Amino acid sequence: MWSGVALPGRTIASMSELLALSFDVATAPSLHLGDHVDGTDGVHHGYGWGVAWYADGERAATVVKDSRSTGENAVSAMLREWDHFRSTTFVAHLRGAAQRLTHPDTQPFTRAFAGRDWLFAHNGDLDRAALDALRAESPADPTARFEALGSTDSEVVFTWLLEQLAVRGARCLADVDRDDLAAMVMQLDRLGTANLLLSDGEELLVHRDDEGFNGLCWSRVLPPHKARRLESSEVAIDFDDPTQAGWTALVVSTRPLSADGIWNELVPGQTFIARRGEIVWSTHPDEVAPAHPDGRPVRLPQFRRVVDEDGWRTLEVRHSTTYGYAQPVERSSHILRLRPVVDDHQQLIEHDLFVSVSGERRPFEDVFGNRAEIIELAVPYSELTVTSTSKVRVKEPVPFRQLRGFSRPLRVPPKWMPWQRELQAPYLLPPELPETQLRTLSEFAMSFVDRNGGDLFDTVTDMNETIYRDFGYVPGSTGLATTPFEVFAKRQGVCQDFANLLICLARLVDLPARYRVGYVYTGGGYENRIQSDASHAWTEIFLPYTGWRGFDPTNGVPVNTDHVRIAAGRNYLDATPTSGTIWHGGGNESLRIDVRVTDPFAVDEQDSSPSQGQSQS
């Protein structure tokens, strides 16, 4: 809810404030406006403010305005008690021009066009004569004209933008080329000063004046939320929606608001487009790269990969596991899944499996297609070492962009035939969690679908990259029993946690997903080794007409020739590289694991020297 509760003791000059909120899931914030007090006479003066949003994901906007508010009144009191305020997009214009405002002149403005309501707010001053001349030039079709109800230059700007969209045949912001949108906005900006907000209910366009007028900044507020309030001298926002605890918000404001995040000032002349709590496009992409959470590893470095004429790359893997026991183990059974996969994208050149204790060994193929070996040990031992050495050739999968040549775009959820659903059933069931937790995770998963317009490839890629960017890599913070919801709530974990979360999100939007264990090449000069010394884990998702494709949320990349695959299953227990049962003896156990992935032909692009690396845990 939004409320007009006065912030005590505020003495501020008359000015115009822009505010916009873009959430990944529908949320109900609460806005508190300060009293408008002129510092020269100490008198409360009227000012215009307006708030608009799209309730319940509808295309129709709700707009509440008060052109002469001086603080708390019946309108703001009504908003505080309103229970229909949940939305993913909010646009607000607080205060307004110094002169007395009428209701038609109070922002934000709204207009119906192309079957949806559009919202617009402007901060600045444009040359009205030049603006009228620009508007008179186009469009030629009089049916595309939009008439202003008020007298401000801001509303004329709004009508001109809608006319330009109509001329281009656009029905939403996504229908217009991004560079063309930025050019339209800059055409207006050259007529004076203009900080702009424009929304079609799905996307939010933000532009900062090219002269840097009045400031405009943004911040992404991530869970877990240390602070539930953002505040400045003019406005305070309380995020007190009890039904939502895991939201992410992109906040755009004229000036920074106190928060548990980083505020980034837009570059003068910068335009960006946000959707569902994320900046999806910008004229200055280097200015919107967010900082990683504490402990987040840098993205895998790029190496000059050496491949043969057919595109194959050679990697060598050595994986050694040593168990030590306080008392001799007299009898035990072990299952080892350490043999690399052999298929169209991975070839096995050499493989050797050494077990330090003699016993009966039987190779077999498990129900998930993994090549495994069961070992029965009946000789007493106090230490057991299992060492797997392999040489493999890996080949890059076909890039996603080249997989789009289908008669119809692939959408989420995909259309599965009954026999396909039957075969993929083990990979479609989400984990057994309380229904409230699954509902929250389902909303989170659907936010990616909505942000990417239902496009299957873009949705999965966005999930993968968001986990990499927004979740902190913190060794020791989780265990094998940690659930995807706990990872979602805490926003931290290790590779197995990120793989499990991505599996859960994919299954909740009807995409079969499985757990993959293997290794990843990081390079000898890799500056962040916190993931080293063990096997790595990622997610594989079954895509229609494509098959299983790997996504590595720990590093935010699709699986490529840095990855070596060994085993897969519904979860970690199905694909664990080494497992066993001690039938007699043993006592306290110690464990040492050493993994090394080597590419003798790789060259670090920074020092041009051969490079070798360890796997990520």
Side-chain angles (χ1 to χ4, degrees):
M1 297 180 296
W2 296 74
S3 61
V5 178
L7 299 177
R10 305 301 191 196
T11 301
I12 53 180
S14 182
M15 67 177 302
S16 178
E17 299 279 338
L18 295 180
L19 179 66
L21 303 172
S22 176
F23 292 93
D24 58 346
V25 297
T27 307
S30 177
L31 178 70
H32 306 268
L33 301 177
D35 279 346
H36 185 81
V37 181
D38 193 311
T40 60
D41 58 15
V43 176
H44 293 253
H45 295 277
Y47 60 85
W49 62 265
V51 178
W53 65 95
Y54 297 86
D56 299 323
E58 297 177 353
R59 293 185 174 186
T62 301
V63 183
V64 176
K65 300 181 181 181
D66 190 339
S67 60
R68 301 181 63 184
S69 173
T70 58
E72 176 72 0
N73 57 32
V75 176
S76 59
M78 175 192 69
L79 290 176
R80 286 201 311 275
E81 303 301 327
W82 206 353
D83 58 356
H84 300 290
F85 197 67
R86 291 166 54 81
S87 180
T88 60
T89 304
F90 297 85
V91 174
H93 190 277
L94 311 177
R95 314 197 189 289
Q99 68 270 22
R100 187 182 299 272
L101 294 175
T102 63
H103 187 80
D105 290 334
T106 302
Q107 301 185 50
F109 301 120
T110 181
R111 283 298 179 89
F113 166 61
R116 67 178 71 234
D117 283 342
W118 296 67
L119 298 175
F120 178 80
H122 167 226
N123 168 268
D125 186 19
L126 299 177
D127 185 310
R128 184 59 182 266
L131 186 59
D132 289 341
L134 176 66
R135 188 164 182 248
E137 295 175 0
S138 62
D141 183 1
T143 61
R145 284 287 186 185
F146 291 85
E147 297 297 332
L149 298 177
S151 59
T152 66
D153 59 340
S154 299
E155 192 174 11
V156 176
V157 168
F158 186 26
T159 57
W160 182 82
L161 285 171
L162 292 180
E163 290 168 359
Q164 297 305 303
L165 294 172
V167 168
R168 289 163 172 78
R171 301 186 64 81
C172 61
L173 287 173
D175 287 345
V176 185
D177 179 79
R178 305 302 200 188
D179 292 325
D180 190 17
L181 275 174
M184 290 165 51
V185 173
M186 283 302 302
Q187 192 174 1
L188 291 169
D189 199 349
R190 296 188 185 99
L191 305 182
T193 54
N195 295 311
L196 305 176
L197 303 175
L198 175 67
S199 178
D200 61 359
E202 296 178 358
E203 294 186 328
L204 173 70
L205 182 146
V206 179
H207 173 77
R208 187 185 181 190
D209 176 64
D210 64 348
E211 299 176 4
F213 169 76
N214 207 27
L216 199 61
C217 58
W218 64 273
S219 179
R220 287 186 77 232
V221 184
L222 302 172
H225 305 294
K226 300 176 183 177
R228 305 291 291 184
R229 166 174 281 216
L230 308 182
E231 183 176 6
S232 72
S233 59
E234 282 77 32
V235 62
I237 309 171
D238 284 325
F239 300 100
D240 56 358
D241 184 358
T243 66
Q244 287 294 345
W247 49 263
T248 294
L250 178 76
V251 183
V252 179
S253 176
T254 297
R255 64 192 65 198
L257 309 175
S258 59
D260 57 332
I262 299 173
W263 286 91
N264 309 272
E265 188 174 9
L266 275 77
V267 176
Q270 179 180 357
T271 301
F272 70 67
I273 295 176
R275 186 176 183 134
R276 287 290 186 132
E278 174 102 14
I279 296 176
V280 297
W281 180 86
S282 174
T283 54
H284 297 68
D286 293 339
E287 302 295 332
V288 299
H292 292 139
D294 294 341
R296 197 78 198 97
V298 297
R299 193 182 293 270
L300 286 173
Q302 294 300 309
F303 295 94
R304 199 174 301 122
R305 300 185 179 103
V306 178
V307 299
D308 62 22
E309 59 183 9
D310 296 322
W312 292 92
R313 179 192 189 188
T314 300
L315 291 174
E316 297 176 351
V317 180
R318 183 182 184 276
H319 181 175
S320 181
T321 304
T322 300
Y323 301 90
Y325 300 93
Q327 301 174 7
V329 176
E330 297 183 14
R331 179 169 173 254
S332 62
S333 301
H334 306 265
I335 294 179
L336 308 179
R337 299 179 182 88
L338 292 167
R339 185 181 182 90
V341 170
V342 177
D343 59 17
D344 290 343
H345 292 94
Q346 185 168 291
Q347 297 177 350
L348 182 59
I349 302 173
E350 299 175 3
H351 175 68
D352 179 70
L353 183 61
F354 167 77
V355 181
S356 63
V357 180
S358 299
E360 182 182 357
R361 298 170 59 169
R362 298 191 305 274
F364 71 101
E365 181 178 296
D366 69 16
V367 70
F368 302 105
N370 302 311
R371 296 296 299 172
E373 192 162 326
I374 187 168
I375 301 178
E376 299 284 351
L377 301 180
V379 177
Y381 62 89
S382 297
E383 184 176 272
L384 172 65
T385 298
V386 177
T387 301
S388 170
T389 56
S390 306
K391 178 184 278 189
V392 299
R393 300 172 75 216
V394 289
K395 190 174 185 179
E396 192 85 34
V398 177
F400 292 139
R401 299 300 175 187
Q402 298 180 22
L403 296 173
R404 295 175 179 269
F406 303 114
S407 58
R408 294 181 180 179
L410 296 181
R411 316 295 293 177
V412 178
K415 304 296 184 183
W416 300 114
M417 295 295 101
W419 64 269
Q420 292 175 315
R421 184 172 293 278
E422 185 73 20
L423 289 174
Q424 299 295 353
Y427 305 109
L428 282 169
L429 288 176
E432 293 186 6
L433 296 172
E435 184 174 346
T436 53
Q437 295 183 7
L438 284 176
R439 286 183 180 275
T440 298
L441 288 170
S442 180
E443 286 191 33
F444 183 53
M446 284 304 301
S447 72
F448 294 98
V449 178
D450 294 338
R451 184 157 66 211
N452 293 280
D455 182 276
L456 189 151
F457 294 116
D458 290 344
T459 296
V460 174
T461 299
D462 191 8
M463 288 178 177
N464 191 51
E465 294 182 349
T466 296
I467 294 174
Y468 162 75
R469 182 186 60 249
D470 292 349
F471 288 67
Y473 188 97
V474 184
S477 62
T478 58
L480 293 179
T482 300
T483 68
F485 183 81
E486 290 172 324
V487 178
F488 165 77
K490 295 179 179 179
R491 286 309 205 267
Q492 64 183 30
V494 294
C495 64
Q496 69 184 29
D497 302 305
F498 303 147
N500 284 329
L501 177 59
L502 182 53
I503 288 170
C504 181
L505 296 178
R507 292 177 181 179
L508 287 171
V509 295
D510 216 22
L511 291 174
R514 67 186 183 187
Y515 189 97
R516 170 64 72 180
V517 172
Y519 313 99
V520 62
Y521 177 77
T522 60
Y526 189 35
E527 63 186 84
N528 194 331
R529 283 274 179 77
I530 60 176
Q531 300 177 83
S532 299
D533 303 323
S535 58
H536 188 48
W538 59 88
T539 301
E540 289 183 343
I541 298 175
F542 190 87
L543 304 178
Y545 313 108
T546 304
W548 292 105
R549 296 299 296 261
F551 297 86
D552 184 355
T554 304
N555 294 295
V557 296
V559 168
N560 52 52
T561 55
D562 289 328
H563 297 76
V564 177
R565 293 167 291 136
I566 59 170
R570 297 164 300 175
N571 48 46
Y572 171 79
L573 295 177
D574 292 337
T576 180
T578 60
S579 62
T581 300
I582 296 175
W583 299 105
H584 194 273
N588 292 333
E589 179 184 79
S590 63
L591 174 66
R592 297 195 313 272
I593 300 175
D594 179 66
V595 173
R596 185 168 294 273
V597 182
T598 304
D599 181 351
F601 305 108
V603 177
D604 190 326
E605 295 191 354
Q606 294 181 347
D607 61 19
S608 298
S609 61
S611 189
Q612 65 181 18
Q614 295 173 304
S615 182
Q616 297 175 323
S617 59

